[in-house]
Amino acid sequence: MRWSVLLTLGFVCNASLANEDSVSGCQTQVLLRDKWRFLHQGRRPYIRIRRKSLIFRNGPIRVRFSCVQNIGNIYLIRKSNYKPGQDAVLCVGFSYVADHPYAEYSAIRLMTEGIGSHIMSPQLFPHGTEVSINTTCDFVGPEERQQYAFIHRATPGCKFPKKLNKSWNFTYLHARRLVIDGNNMTLILLNGRSIVFSCYARDSNYYVVRSSGYPTADKDSYMCVSFVPIRDNPFYSYVFSRLNSGSILDRMLKTIPKGQRVHLHQDCDWMDSPARPEFLYE
Ligand SMILES: *[C@@H]1O[C@H](CO)[C@@H](O)[C@H](O)[C@H]1NC(C)=O
Ligand SMILES: *[C@@H]1O[C@H](CO)[C@@H](O)[C@H](O)[C@H]1NC(C)=O
Ligand SMILES: *[C@@H]1O[C@H](CO)[C@@H](O)[C@H](O)[C@H]1NC(C)=O
Ligand SMILES: *[C@@H]1O[C@H](CO)[C@@H](O)[C@H](O)[C@H]1NC(C)=O
C-alpha cells in the first residue's frame, strides 16, 4: 500500500510539473472542500479545506493557511507571520484513493521535516520569502519518515444553531411559516401543506437541507441555503439565500433519486452567486 501511494503521487507530481497551465489563481479542487480527519488519529487533528484556504487543527495548534499556488492537487500554502518575522509554509498533495475501505484521499507531505511531527506541520521561512511549487516542494522518497496519511470526511454533523430554532415568518410568496425545530426545517405553505426537510450537511454558514420522499416516494429533494443574521433592521432578522438552481417549488428545490448522496461544495451549484434572497422575521 505504501509503495503504491508514493509511486502514484510521484507520477502525478512529475506529470503535473511538466504541465504549467494551471499555475495561477490558487483554488482547491471542489471535491476536497470539506472537513477531514486522519485515519487512526482520533478526533483531534483535522483539516478543513476551503476554496482558497486550508485550516489545520491539532489540539491547541490551529493554523489557517492561504493557498499560494497549486498544480493539480498539489498545494503550496502559507500562513504569513505565523511567528514574528516568520511565515509557515507547507507543500502538500492530495491523491484520490479508490480502493481503501475507509479513506477517500491520502494527504502527502511534499517537503522535508517541519516544526512539529505531524505530516501537516509547516516549515518556517523568513517573512515574505518567495516560494513556489517548483522551488519549495520536494518529493521526499520512501526512505524518509512517514510522508503521507489517509484522510476521510468528518461524519456530517448537521445542526441548526439554537438562534434559528423558532417558528419564522418567511417572505417566500407561498409560505405561511418556516419552522426550525431541532434538526428539522418545515416549510408550511399557504395551502396548508408542509414539507419537512432535515439538516443534511453543513459547512459553517452553508447548509444542505433535504426532504426525503418528496415530491414522490422514489425521490428526494434538497436545497442549499445560508442564513445570515441582519442586525439593526426593524423588519427582518435573517437573510435566507438559496445557493442552488432547482426544478420544483418555484425552482427552489432540486430533485434526486432517493438516497443519493449530496455534496455541499459540488451540488450547490450557485455557491458563488446566491439566488434572489428571501427573509425570515418574527
Ligand atoms: C517549473 O520547472 C520546470 C522545469 O524545471 C520549468 O519548465 C517550468 O517553467 C517551471 N514552472 C514555473 C511556474 O516556474
Ligand atoms: C408573524 O406571523 C405571526 C403568526 O402568523 C403573526 O401574528 C405576526 O404578526 C407576524 N409578524 C409580522 C411582523 O408580520
Ligand atoms: C427548539 O424549539 C422547540 C420548540 O419550538 C423545543 O421543543 C426544542 O427543544 C428546541 N430545540 C433546541 C435544540 O433548542
Ligand atoms: C423531524 O422530522 C422527522 C421526519 O419527519 C420526524 O420523524 C422527527 O420526529 C422530526 N423531529 C422533530 C424534532 O420534529
Side-chain angles (χ1 to χ4, degrees), residues 222-261:
Y222 71 91
M223 175 165 50
C224 306
V225 57
S226 74
F227 300 91
V228 179
I230 318 176
R231 317 223 176 274
D232 307 321
N233 182 301
F235 306 110
Y236 298 138
S237 310
Y238 282 89
V239 187
F240 176 107
S241 293
R242 178 163 48 95
L243 307 159
N244 60 286
S245 63
S247 57
I248 58 167
L249 200 72
D250 291 321
R251 299 187 173 271
M252 292 201 300
L253 308 183
K254 253 198 159 91
T255 56
I256 47 172
K258 195 160 178 61
Q260 182 176 295
R261 216 179 129 166

Side-chain angles (χ1 to χ4, degrees), residues 185-189 193-197 211 214 221 249 253:
M185 180 183 104
T186 306
L187 174 60
I188 303 167
L189 299 171
R193 293 191 56 193
S194 40
I195 306 169
V196 181
F197 298 89
S211 187
Y214 182 86
S221 50
L249 200 72
L253 308 183

Side-chain angles (χ1 to χ4, degrees), residues 169 177 281-282:
N169 295 355
R177 307 196 64 75
Y281 58 104
E282 292 188 68

Side-chain angles (χ1 to χ4, degrees), residues 17-20 23 69 71 132-135:
L17 282 176
N19 161 11
E20 292 164 59
V23 167
Q69 187 189 14
I71 298 178
S132 72
I133 288 180
N134 259 8
T135 56

